[in-house]
Amino acid sequence: MGSCKIPALLSHCVTTVQYRTPTAAPAFVRLLARLGGADLPDAGPVLSERLGQWIDWNRAVSLSRALDGAVAPAAGAATGVDAHAAAVDRVRTSLTDAIQRGAPADADGDDFAPFRRYCLERQRAMLTGTGPLRGRLRDALAQRGGDLARLAEVDAVMEMTLSPREQTLLAHTPTLLGLHFERLRAAADGSPDSAWRALFRRDLQDALLAELDLRFHPIDALLAALRTP
């Protein structure tokens, strides 16, 4: 399969398996652009074209097989949809509550380091909490066979392909928050007023909640597919 065929294959993939209705930019991206003082581009490449730049020949072959091959139901005892939905809600609530409790009390001074540690801790918790959920939902879809099992295979290939890039990009979040922290502190000009710290804490919380929502996009989509009659 030549590299020129990869965008066409991915266009078929995006058309066949839609996760969500596309938006101009996810809330997380818009928020980080605001905190980083950057402007969002008016338009970007078509999704299939952008994926074609990221997915190599081997991954493209795997996608082609997942999309075109007949998939038999996987063996194993099936877990009810309600049980999977409850697990998703439980993990989402736990991660949300941890973020909404806010940064620790010792992160109240003019040093960003405690906030950075807190941000990294929350990101690690999101990663370890959402990863197993996504895998279990794929297993549940694989047990159904047919189109749902095909969706599970496509999602597995996409996760293996895109997760390293996603983690690299998300690793910039603490850096952008650090720049925002420094700008707010400089604007305060040594004032004892703690209003800028409260503003930063709110922005930090908003950024982490938006990232959490982003991480749940594929999970919500897989759960919705599992609920398909």
mmCIF file of all heavy atoms in Angstrom, residues 127-156:
data_model
loop_
_atom_site.group_PDB
_atom_site.id
_atom_site.type_symbol
_atom_site.label_atom_id
_atom_site.label_comp_id
_atom_site.label_asym_id
_atom_site.label_seq_id
_atom_site.Cartn_x
_atom_site.Cartn_y
_atom_site.Cartn_z
ATOM 1 N N LEU A 127 -4.662 9.345 33.160
ATOM 2 C CA LEU A 127 -4.145 8.330 32.250
ATOM 3 C C LEU A 127 -4.389 6.927 32.794
ATOM 4 O O LEU A 127 -4.869 6.034 32.070
ATOM 5 C CB LEU A 127 -2.650 8.563 32.020
ATOM 6 C CG LEU A 127 -1.945 7.578 31.086
ATOM 7 C CD1 LEU A 127 -2.550 7.643 29.695
ATOM 8 C CD2 LEU A 127 -0.454 7.872 31.035
ATOM 9 N N THR A 128 -4.077 6.714 34.066
ATOM 10 C CA THR A 128 -4.246 5.386 34.644
ATOM 11 C C THR A 128 -5.708 5.035 34.871
ATOM 12 O O THR A 128 -6.074 3.853 34.904
ATOM 13 C CB THR A 128 -3.491 5.276 35.981
ATOM 14 O OG1 THR A 128 -3.966 6.294 36.892
ATOM 15 C CG2 THR A 128 -2.002 5.465 35.781
ATOM 16 N N GLY A 129 -6.571 6.037 34.999
ATOM 17 C CA GLY A 129 -7.989 5.765 35.205
ATOM 18 C C GLY A 129 -8.741 5.482 33.924
ATOM 19 O O GLY A 129 -9.641 4.630 33.892
ATOM 20 N N THR A 130 -8.386 6.179 32.837
ATOM 21 C CA THR A 130 -9.146 6.041 31.591
ATOM 22 C C THR A 130 -8.646 4.890 30.725
ATOM 23 O O THR A 130 -9.424 4.303 29.963
ATOM 24 C CB THR A 130 -9.101 7.342 30.771
ATOM 25 O OG1 THR A 130 -7.728 7.699 30.505
ATOM 26 C CG2 THR A 130 -9.775 8.480 31.522
ATOM 27 N N GLY A 131 -7.360 4.572 30.789
ATOM 28 C CA GLY A 131 -6.802 3.524 29.936
ATOM 29 C C GLY A 131 -7.502 2.177 30.087
ATOM 30 O O GLY A 131 -7.966 1.592 29.092
ATOM 31 N N PRO A 132 -7.607 1.634 31.306
ATOM 32 C CA PRO A 132 -8.287 0.348 31.475
ATOM 33 C C PRO A 132 -9.757 0.384 31.070
ATOM 34 O O PRO A 132 -10.282 -0.595 30.537
ATOM 35 C CB PRO A 132 -8.139 0.077 32.982
ATOM 36 C CG PRO A 132 -6.928 0.850 33.390
ATOM 37 C CD PRO A 132 -6.956 2.087 32.553
ATOM 38 N N LEU A 133 -10.431 1.515 31.304
ATOM 39 C CA LEU A 133 -11.830 1.637 30.892
ATOM 40 C C LEU A 133 -11.967 1.449 29.385
ATOM 41 O O LEU A 133 -12.839 0.711 28.904
ATOM 42 C CB LEU A 133 -12.378 3.022 31.265
ATOM 43 C CG LEU A 133 -12.968 3.253 32.644
ATOM 44 C CD1 LEU A 133 -13.460 4.689 32.747
ATOM 45 C CD2 LEU A 133 -14.089 2.283 32.932
ATOM 46 N N ARG A 134 -11.120 2.106 28.643
ATOM 47 C CA ARG A 134 -11.183 2.026 27.178
ATOM 48 C C ARG A 134 -10.947 0.591 26.716
ATOM 49 O O ARG A 134 -11.627 0.100 25.812
ATOM 50 C CB ARG A 134 -10.154 2.986 26.582
ATOM 51 C CG ARG A 134 -10.269 3.172 25.075
ATOM 52 C CD ARG A 134 -9.368 4.317 24.634
ATOM 53 N NE ARG A 134 -9.400 4.515 23.193
ATOM 54 C CZ ARG A 134 -8.742 5.479 22.561
ATOM 55 N NH1 ARG A 134 -8.003 6.345 23.267
ATOM 56 N NH2 ARG A 134 -8.806 5.604 21.244
ATOM 57 N N GLY A 135 -9.985 -0.079 27.334
ATOM 58 C CA GLY A 135 -9.703 -1.463 26.965
ATOM 59 C C GLY A 135 -10.870 -2.391 27.257
ATOM 60 O O GLY A 135 -11.200 -3.270 26.445
ATOM 61 N N ARG A 136 -11.510 -2.215 28.412
ATOM 62 C CA ARG A 136 -12.649 -3.083 28.759
ATOM 63 C C ARG A 136 -13.828 -2.850 27.824
ATOM 64 O O ARG A 136 -14.540 -3.804 27.466
ATOM 65 C CB ARG A 136 -13.052 -2.845 30.212
ATOM 66 C CG ARG A 136 -12.069 -3.429 31.222
ATOM 67 C CD ARG A 136 -12.671 -3.512 32.608
ATOM 68 N NE ARG A 136 -12.922 -2.218 33.192
ATOM 69 C CZ ARG A 136 -12.032 -1.550 33.937
ATOM 70 N NH1 ARG A 136 -10.830 -2.053 34.145
ATOM 71 N NH2 ARG A 136 -12.325 -0.376 34.455
ATOM 72 N N LEU A 137 -14.055 -1.610 27.434
ATOM 73 C CA LEU A 137 -15.147 -1.334 26.495
ATOM 74 C C LEU A 137 -14.851 -1.949 25.125
ATOM 75 O O LEU A 137 -15.766 -2.467 24.466
ATOM 76 C CB LEU A 137 -15.357 0.177 26.367
ATOM 77 C CG LEU A 137 -15.999 0.859 27.586
ATOM 78 C CD1 LEU A 137 -15.952 2.366 27.433
ATOM 79 C CD2 LEU A 137 -17.433 0.386 27.778
ATOM 80 N N ARG A 138 -13.600 -1.915 24.710
ATOM 81 C CA ARG A 138 -13.245 -2.578 23.446
ATOM 82 C C ARG A 138 -13.486 -4.080 23.538
ATOM 83 O O ARG A 138 -13.986 -4.708 22.594
ATOM 84 C CB ARG A 138 -11.787 -2.295 23.080
ATOM 85 C CG ARG A 138 -11.558 -0.957 22.440
ATOM 86 C CD ARG A 138 -10.248 -0.946 21.653
ATOM 87 N NE ARG A 138 -9.103 -1.246 22.490
ATOM 88 C CZ ARG A 138 -8.316 -0.308 23.031
ATOM 89 N NH1 ARG A 138 -8.581 0.966 22.840
ATOM 90 N NH2 ARG A 138 -7.286 -0.658 23.760
ATOM 91 N N ASP A 139 -13.118 -4.672 24.664
ATOM 92 C CA ASP A 139 -13.352 -6.107 24.842
ATOM 93 C C ASP A 139 -14.845 -6.429 24.758
ATOM 94 O O ASP A 139 -15.238 -7.436 24.164
ATOM 95 C CB ASP A 139 -12.807 -6.575 26.198
ATOM 96 C CG ASP A 139 -11.282 -6.549 26.252
ATOM 97 O OD1 ASP A 139 -10.647 -6.495 25.176
ATOM 98 O OD2 ASP A 139 -10.737 -6.577 27.369
ATOM 99 N N ALA A 140 -15.655 -5.568 25.355
ATOM 100 C CA ALA A 140 -17.106 -5.785 25.325
ATOM 101 C C ALA A 140 -17.633 -5.688 23.898
ATOM 102 O O ALA A 140 -18.510 -6.470 23.489
ATOM 103 C CB ALA A 140 -17.813 -4.786 26.234
ATOM 104 N N LEU A 141 -17.124 -4.740 23.113
ATOM 105 C CA LEU A 141 -17.549 -4.612 21.727
ATOM 106 C C LEU A 141 -17.088 -5.807 20.900
ATOM 107 O O LEU A 141 -17.814 -6.290 20.013
ATOM 108 C CB LEU A 141 -16.997 -3.314 21.128
ATOM 109 C CG LEU A 141 -17.625 -2.015 21.641
ATOM 110 C CD1 LEU A 141 -16.817 -0.814 21.165
ATOM 111 C CD2 LEU A 141 -19.068 -1.883 21.174
ATOM 112 N N ALA A 142 -15.884 -6.288 21.179
ATOM 113 C CA ALA A 142 -15.365 -7.441 20.437
ATOM 114 C C ALA A 142 -16.235 -8.666 20.644
ATOM 115 O O ALA A 142 -16.365 -9.512 19.746
ATOM 116 C CB ALA A 142 -13.928 -7.728 20.863
ATOM 117 N N GLN A 143 -16.842 -8.786 21.808
ATOM 118 C CA GLN A 143 -17.708 -9.930 22.082
ATOM 119 C C GLN A 143 -18.992 -9.899 21.261
ATOM 120 O O GLN A 143 -19.651 -10.937 21.106
ATOM 121 C CB GLN A 143 -18.044 -9.980 23.579
ATOM 122 C CG GLN A 143 -16.852 -10.334 24.448
ATOM 123 C CD GLN A 143 -17.165 -10.234 25.934
ATOM 124 O OE1 GLN A 143 -18.151 -9.621 26.327
ATOM 125 N NE2 GLN A 143 -16.321 -10.837 26.749
ATOM 126 N N ARG A 144 -19.328 -8.726 20.732
ATOM 127 C CA ARG A 144 -20.544 -8.604 19.928
ATOM 128 C C ARG A 144 -20.333 -9.085 18.492
ATOM 129 O O ARG A 144 -21.288 -9.453 17.816
ATOM 130 C CB ARG A 144 -21.016 -7.147 19.907
ATOM 131 C CG ARG A 144 -21.379 -6.573 21.277
ATOM 132 C CD ARG A 144 -22.740 -7.050 21.739
ATOM 133 N NE ARG A 144 -23.171 -6.330 22.927
ATOM 134 C CZ ARG A 144 -23.886 -5.230 22.908
ATOM 135 N NH1 ARG A 144 -24.236 -4.681 21.739
ATOM 136 N NH2 ARG A 144 -24.259 -4.633 24.027
ATOM 137 N N GLY A 145 -19.097 -9.012 18.002
ATOM 138 C CA GLY A 145 -18.826 -9.386 16.625
ATOM 139 C C GLY A 145 -19.310 -8.325 15.643
ATOM 140 O O GLY A 145 -19.829 -7.270 16.019
ATOM 141 N N GLY A 146 -19.143 -8.584 14.352
ATOM 142 C CA GLY A 146 -19.641 -7.699 13.310
ATOM 143 C C GLY A 146 -19.048 -6.307 13.358
ATOM 144 O O GLY A 146 -17.861 -6.116 13.644
ATOM 145 N N ASP A 147 -19.898 -5.311 13.095
ATOM 146 C CA ASP A 147 -19.440 -3.921 13.031
ATOM 147 C C ASP A 147 -18.890 -3.434 14.361
ATOM 148 O O ASP A 147 -17.955 -2.624 14.396
ATOM 149 C CB ASP A 147 -20.577 -3.008 12.585
ATOM 150 C CG ASP A 147 -20.926 -3.175 11.118
ATOM 151 O OD1 ASP A 147 -20.089 -3.725 10.374
ATOM 152 O OD2 ASP A 147 -22.025 -2.764 10.716
ATOM 153 N N LEU A 148 -19.469 -3.898 15.475
ATOM 154 C CA LEU A 148 -18.990 -3.441 16.779
ATOM 155 C C LEU A 148 -17.598 -3.983 17.071
ATOM 156 O O LEU A 148 -16.755 -3.272 17.634
ATOM 157 C CB LEU A 148 -19.975 -3.855 17.875
ATOM 158 C CG LEU A 148 -21.354 -3.199 17.808
ATOM 159 C CD1 LEU A 148 -22.239 -3.667 18.963
ATOM 160 C CD2 LEU A 148 -21.234 -1.677 17.821
ATOM 161 N N ALA A 149 -17.347 -5.224 16.698
ATOM 162 C CA ALA A 149 -15.997 -5.769 16.865
ATOM 163 C C ALA A 149 -15.013 -5.047 15.957
ATOM 164 O O ALA A 149 -13.851 -4.818 16.324
ATOM 165 C CB ALA A 149 -16.003 -7.269 16.563
ATOM 166 N N ARG A 150 -15.469 -4.669 14.768
ATOM 167 C CA ARG A 150 -14.613 -3.908 13.857
ATOM 168 C C ARG A 150 -14.265 -2.550 14.458
ATOM 169 O O ARG A 150 -13.129 -2.081 14.368
ATOM 170 C CB ARG A 150 -15.315 -3.743 12.501
ATOM 171 C CG ARG A 150 -14.447 -3.092 11.433
ATOM 172 C CD ARG A 150 -15.148 -3.056 10.090
ATOM 173 N NE ARG A 150 -15.393 -4.388 9.595
ATOM 174 C CZ ARG A 150 -16.601 -4.954 9.485
ATOM 175 N NH1 ARG A 150 -17.677 -4.271 9.845
ATOM 176 N NH2 ARG A 150 -16.734 -6.167 9.021
ATOM 177 N N LEU A 151 -15.252 -1.917 15.080
ATOM 178 C CA LEU A 151 -14.998 -0.638 15.748
ATOM 179 C C LEU A 151 -13.956 -0.803 16.849
ATOM 180 O O LEU A 151 -13.073 0.046 17.014
ATOM 181 C CB LEU A 151 -16.298 -0.093 16.339
ATOM 182 C CG LEU A 151 -16.176 1.132 17.252
ATOM 183 C CD1 LEU A 151 -15.574 2.307 16.494
ATOM 184 C CD2 LEU A 151 -17.534 1.511 17.834
ATOM 185 N N ALA A 152 -14.044 -1.898 17.603
ATOM 186 C CA ALA A 152 -13.067 -2.147 18.665
ATOM 187 C C ALA A 152 -11.657 -2.259 18.090
ATOM 188 O O ALA A 152 -10.691 -1.733 18.651
ATOM 189 C CB ALA A 152 -13.437 -3.417 19.428
ATOM 190 N N GLU A 153 -11.527 -2.955 16.940
ATOM 191 C CA GLU A 153 -10.213 -3.092 16.318
ATOM 192 C C GLU A 153 -9.686 -1.743 15.817
ATOM 193 O O GLU A 153 -8.506 -1.427 15.967
ATOM 194 C CB GLU A 153 -10.288 -4.082 15.159
ATOM 195 C CG GLU A 153 -10.439 -5.535 15.606
ATOM 196 C CD GLU A 153 -10.124 -6.510 14.496
ATOM 197 O OE1 GLU A 153 -9.664 -6.057 13.421
ATOM 198 O OE2 GLU A 153 -10.325 -7.708 14.693
ATOM 199 N N VAL A 154 -10.570 -0.960 15.212
ATOM 200 C CA VAL A 154 -10.159 0.354 14.723
ATOM 201 C C VAL A 154 -9.698 1.226 15.893
ATOM 202 O O VAL A 154 -8.666 1.904 15.819
ATOM 203 C CB VAL A 154 -11.315 1.036 13.966
ATOM 204 C CG1 VAL A 154 -10.988 2.506 13.688
ATOM 205 C CG2 VAL A 154 -11.604 0.305 12.658
ATOM 206 N N ASP A 155 -10.453 1.204 16.982
ATOM 207 C CA ASP A 155 -10.088 2.022 18.136
ATOM 208 C C ASP A 155 -8.750 1.585 18.717
ATOM 209 O O ASP A 155 -7.944 2.428 19.134
ATOM 210 C CB ASP A 155 -11.176 1.942 19.210
ATOM 211 C CG ASP A 155 -10.871 2.838 20.394
ATOM 212 O OD1 ASP A 155 -11.010 4.066 20.260
ATOM 213 O OD2 ASP A 155 -10.464 2.300 21.453
ATOM 214 N N ALA A 156 -8.496 0.278 18.741
ATOM 215 C CA ALA A 156 -7.226 -0.216 19.268
ATOM 216 C C ALA A 156 -6.057 0.292 18.427
ATOM 217 O O ALA A 156 -5.033 0.731 18.957
ATOM 218 C CB ALA A 156 -7.228 -1.746 19.310
#
